[in-house]
Amino acid sequence: MRKQFVPILSAFAIIYSCSSNPYAPTNKEYKKQAKVFVKSLTDIPPVSEIGKPAQYPVGTVNFNLRKPNYVIIHHTAQGACEKTLSTFINKKSQVSAHYVVCKDGTVHHMLNDYLRAWHGGVAKWGTLSDINSVSIGIELDNNGNEEFPEEQIKSLTLLLSKLKKDYNIPSSNFIGHSDIAPLRKVDPNAFFPWKKLSEYGFGNWPDAILDSVPDNFNSVQALRIIGYDTKDSLAAIKAFKLHFLQKNNDSYLDDSTKMILNNLIKKY
């Protein structure tokens, strides 16, 4: 009689676990997709068809996983954290991020850090044109026109501390979506506390005392040194001002802004 209850209890446990976790179906799909990558990674590379064929396959024993070297910060521009989660588990959306940080400080780790999320889109920073392959994407629940709650920033700071330590990410490599895609994006918005985060070592910020700008100062070249894509220099200026001035989001560079730009190129 007791044996008859075992499958019943097992079935009940499965049903209960699925009903208690609304993301159980997509978590199952996550594991299914990850297994495909696991298999491809554990298979020994076959004999190459390029050049003279080798007699037999041979795999090196000296390797590890590639690691991310940039962190890209976004705001969701959606009404609620749950809506963003829903977007990222919908295959039709074709977008994702490694982390989503809600306003109450809840952190959702949605993708293994070593896997490539689809968060940067068409973007460029310095000579990098495939940002997704070298970065971790973090989405902050924010409609794009509001301040970021203290609990949210506190959780973000803790997360950034862990990522910086785990992957030895340079301070300069914590940037925003608008920095890498100035023609398309304006996130995180002007309320994002870049200065505060820079004090913890996440991103650069200009010094309090600034030197005068040389007569031959080239603003576009300076933007390029920092990392901005200057194909559209006006868009690059706007993105720079959104990040480092967080006001007057236009394409005009006055003397004080040039002084900030001149100061920052020494940090990149």
Side-chain angles (χ1 to χ4, degrees):
M1 189 73 174
R2 184 178 180 183
K3 291 182 178 180
Q4 294 177 351
F5 279 104
V6 173
I8 296 174
L9 290 173
S10 299
F12 178 79
I14 294 173
I15 294 172
Y16 178 78
S17 63
C18 291
S19 63
S20 62
N21 182 358
Y23 303 109
T26 50
N27 286 345
K28 183 178 180 180
E29 178 63 23
Y30 179 107
K31 292 182 69 175
K32 180 181 177 181
Q33 290 184 214
K35 283 181 179 180
V36 175
F37 290 109
V38 170
K39 185 180 185 307
S40 65
L41 289 172
T42 54
D43 287 343
I44 295 175
V47 171
S48 175
E49 297 179 356
I50 301 172
K52 181 180 178 180
Q55 185 177 356
Y56 41 75
V58 53
T60 181
V61 295
N62 304 311
F63 61 91
N64 54 14
L65 291 173
R66 294 184 179 185
K67 63 180 183 178
N69 197 42
Y70 284 82
V71 171
I72 312 299
I73 300 174
H74 310 248
H75 67 231
T76 61
Q78 294 185 309
C81 208
E82 290 72 20
K83 188 172 182 179
T84 300
L85 300 182
S86 179
T87 299
F88 289 168
I89 62 174
N90 184 345
K91 285 190 173 183
K92 292 182 179 180
S93 72
Q94 294 288 288
V95 292
S96 59
H98 294 87
Y99 297 88
V100 175
V101 184
C102 303
K103 291 178 180 177
D104 65 359
T106 301
V107 177
H108 295 278
H109 190 179
M110 299 195 70
L111 183 67
N112 186 293
D113 294 347
Y114 290 101
L115 296 178
R116 184 179 184 274
W118 301 344
H119 64 95
V122 178
K124 187 177 181 182
W125 187 250
T127 59
L128 296 173
S129 58
D130 183 6
I131 304 296
N132 287 344
S133 292
V134 296
S135 66
I136 286 178
I138 300 177
E139 289 276 359
L140 302 178
D141 180 27
N142 184 287
N143 66 16
N145 297 294
E146 59 184 340
E147 295 187 5
F148 297 82
E150 183 178 343
E151 285 301 314
Q152 186 178 40
I153 296 302
K154 180 179 179 181
S155 290
L156 174 64
T157 303
L158 293 173
L159 173 58
L160 296 182
S161 296
K162 184 178 188 305
L163 295 176
K164 185 174 185 179
K165 179 180 179 181
D166 288 350
Y167 306 116
N168 195 29
I169 299 175
S171 296
S172 299
N173 292 1
F174 293 82
I175 51 182
H177 199 187
S178 61
D179 295 314
I180 63 173
L183 278 170
R184 303 184 301 111
K185 298 296 180 178
V186 292
D187 58 307
N189 67 42
F191 292 107
F192 187 72
W194 283 115
K195 183 178 185 297
K196 179 178 180 180
L197 289 186
S198 72
E199 295 170 358
Y200 292 98
F202 312 124
N204 289 329
W205 194 256
D207 296 325
I209 300 177
L210 303 173
D211 296 329
S212 58
V213 178
D215 293 336
N216 61 346
F217 183 72
N218 187 321
S219 299
V220 174
Q221 183 181 39
L223 287 167
R224 195 178 301 121
I225 290 173
I226 291 175
Y228 287 98
D229 180 6
T230 57
K231 186 175 182 179
D232 187 324
S233 59
L234 298 183
I237 291 171
K238 287 182 179 181
F240 170 80
K241 294 179 74 173
L242 175 64
H243 186 134
F244 294 104
L245 273 73
Q246 303 190 300
K247 60 181 180 179
N248 300 328
N249 188 23
D250 55 38
S251 57
Y252 176 68
L253 285 175
D254 59 18
D255 290 341
S256 61
T257 305
K258 289 180 181 179
M259 290 172 67
I260 293 173
L261 184 54
N262 180 52
N263 179 264
L264 284 168
I265 60 176
K266 304 168 187 176
K267 301 175 184 287
Y268 286 87

